[in-house]
Amino acid sequence: MRLYLTALKPTDSVTDGFLPAARALGCEVTILTDRPEQHPDAVLCDVKDPRALIDTVAELGRPDAIFSNSDHLQAETALAADYFGLPGKDWRACLAAKNKHLMRRGLAPLEQVFALRLPPGRPVPAGLPYPLVVKPREGVASEDVVLAGGEADVEAVRARRPGEAVVLEEFLEGPLYTLETLGDATGIQVLGGFRTTLGALPYFVEERLDWADPPEREHVLGALRMLGVGFGACHTEYVLTADGPRIIEVNYRAIGDHCDFLLAEILGVPLFEQILRVHLGEPAPVPPAARGYGTAVSVVAERSGTITSAPGELELVDGEVRLWHRPIRGVGEMVRQTHTNRDYLGVIRAVGPSREAVERAVTAFRAARPWVLS
């Protein structure tokens, strides 16, 4: 089987997840990227241009699957898969999920959320119902997502994103959850979900995700169907407001920040293989019940500075809890605080029989192995 995988920068999800999974399935993998120097044995391709992507695949040889886990390449990859008659996502759904303005328009019959697209150069309208969340129309990692109290806050974000459209959106208050799904041509399987803890406003940095039975899942599944989202992996974030559940964003790929590895551990399944099998034409399996509790805690830089001490990559057992630590930054690096997910220094993920046991292990790990900035 020949698998073409489109990518931009390297990620742990691809390097340690999807590539080993593809090899385990016996696939011959070709990485297509505009950054071949960052990927071993990759082929240079303008992967952001579906015409170039289709042309490159046609030249290299008939594919059995074309796949991407990149936020930025879902529509292009879906178009290429459709051209070759392969299982894949609807490119329209990929575009609607990525573009936050189109997502709100698509969900308007289901959810009433104030949202305004503000193109570059257009003045901020007067009389807006502040506070509003301002976010880049196609942003990622909470970059330049801010709770704006007025026009000055909006313009500050626009100044950092010249030439880009932003979306001004109603501030949705309430507990934040995720729904993780894997679908095939016949329907969607719910894998599970997480309760998300954010840092202090006016920013929206995700500090930890805790395994949780996702409430109001039927509403979320209805929203996904309305957008045409279903096939393959999807990570959806939503809020339980006083007026009911409201979608925050639809990330039409597997959950990131090592929560994909955590999800695989909690369910006890080869998740990356299962996702690839769907793109190779196999049905999505019915997920098993969770084997316990899990959490992913991001170590977040609380200020700018130079890292003087930090734990390395570790895997250990603390009683009945298995714990992993993955450093994102290294000793000697200068960290400039951005109030986004880019402030992550490392990620701790842990699984065990209960929340109490996992919490004790994570607390003990952080106390014994602190990150120090000077």
Side-chain angles (χ1 to χ4, degrees), residues 64-230:
D64 293 293
I66 304 176
F67 170 79
S68 184
N69 197 53
S70 170
D71 267 316
H72 305 281
L73 300 177
Q74 292 301 323
E76 295 82 354
T77 304
L79 280 164
D82 184 59
Y83 177 85
F84 289 102
L86 300 172
K89 301 170 182 177
D90 184 333
W91 69 268
R92 299 169 187 83
C94 294
L95 190 63
K98 177 63 176 171
N99 185 309
K100 295 171 177 60
H101 173 65
L102 294 180
M103 185 200 78
R104 283 289 171 229
R105 286 175 59 91
L107 294 178
L110 182 67
E111 299 182 354
Q112 298 302 309
V113 177
F114 175 84
L116 173 70
R117 174 179 172 269
L118 195 59
R122 181 176 296 178
V124 179
L128 293 178
Y130 295 103
L132 294 170
V133 179
V134 55
K135 58 179 71 174
R137 186 186 61 191
E138 298 183 9
V140 296
S142 297
E143 288 185 344
D144 288 319
V145 180
V146 178
L147 183 62
E151 181 178 340
D153 296 330
V154 176
E155 292 294 11
V157 173
R158 298 179 81 190
R160 294 191 293 270
R161 316 286 295 211
E164 295 185 40
V166 300
V167 174
L168 306 181
E169 190 172 274
E170 177 184 342
F171 176 44
L172 300 170
E173 294 189 76
L176 177 61
Y177 287 89
T178 84
L179 187 75
E180 313 306 326
T181 56
L182 178 60
D184 55 25
T186 64
I188 303 175
Q189 299 286 350
V190 174
L191 303 177
F194 296 92
R195 170 76 183 269
T196 303
T197 300
L198 298 176
L201 294 172
Y203 307 105
F204 295 87
V205 179
E206 297 177 1
E207 295 191 343
R208 65 181 290 162
L209 280 83
D210 292 285
W211 181 252
D213 182 31
E216 300 285 357
R217 63 174 64 187
E218 290 306 318
H219 175 95
V220 180
L221 292 173
L224 295 179
R225 285 190 289 267
M226 187 166 286
L227 293 173
V229 169

Side-chain angles (χ1 to χ4, degrees), residues 1 64-65 86-88 184-185 231 274-284:
M1 296 180 291
D64 293 293
L86 300 172
D184 55 25
F231 187 92
Q274 291 181 351
I275 294 171
L276 292 180
R277 285 183 182 275
V278 167
H279 286 264
L280 288 163
E282 298 184 26

